[in-house]
Amino acid sequence: MNIKRIIAGALIGGAAVMGISFGAGHAEAKIEPGQYKYQAFTWGLIPTPVSNVRIVGDQFYSDISGVGPSDINRATIVPTKNGGILTLSKDPVAMWFGRIEFTKTAYGYHGTTFNYGGIPTGDVVLKKVR
């Protein structure tokens, strides 16, 4: 058997186990553009300060803990069928190291933070500001 096929199969299998899809295609259900309030809960319990968020297209701009310019932190949103994945880059390796998977709710979006291939490390609330 060809060693390249074995390596490719191992990488694809490992990615599937870790929850990362390569080229599977995403539906175009985007996180709606606009202003949001963002709050993370580390391990589902420890709240972080509320931050201001602005979403423009597939870009996520946020301030630091509700103070400062609104574009200090920037991330990319990859659309999914239920919301989107927030990550530093669309690169699968970056998504493996850290991502937030958002799903649409009545108040905005609820997200789960994953690190190092799929270890859930907290929850995120993204509330739409009207």
Side-chain angles (χ1 to χ4, degrees):
M1 190 170 229
N2 189 347
I3 191 74
K4 289 181 183 177
R5 286 186 183 179
I6 293 172
I7 292 171
L11 289 174
I12 292 170
V17 169
M18 295 300 182
I20 301 172
S21 63
F22 292 98
H26 296 287
E28 290 302 316
K30 300 179 186 179
I31 293 180
E32 298 173 20
Q35 301 288 332
Y36 292 87
K37 294 288 184 181
Y38 171 97
Q39 186 170 25
F41 297 88
T42 306
W43 304 112
L45 301 171
I46 305 166
T48 63
V50 176
S51 296
N52 299 307
V53 169
R54 182 172 47 100
I55 296 177
V56 179
D58 68 346
Q59 296 298 305
F60 180 96
Y61 301 97
S62 65
D63 62 9
I64 298 175
S65 303
V67 297
S70 62
D71 60 352
I72 293 283
N73 297 316
R74 190 179 93 179
T76 300
I77 301 169
V78 178
T80 63
K81 65 180 181 176
N82 296 324
I85 297 173
L86 182 67
T87 182
L88 294 177
S89 167
K90 292 183 180 182
D91 179 51
V93 175
M95 292 172 111
W96 183 87
F97 277 106
R99 67 187 182 277
I100 302 173
E101 296 181 2
F102 284 106
T103 55
K104 187 158 181 59
T105 63
Y107 56 80
Y109 296 89
H110 177 268
T112 303
T113 305
F114 293 97
N115 289 314
Y116 301 110
I119 300 169
T121 57
D123 295 316
V124 174
V125 175
L126 192 62
K127 290 185 181 179
K128 183 87 170 169
V129 176
R130 306 241 178 236

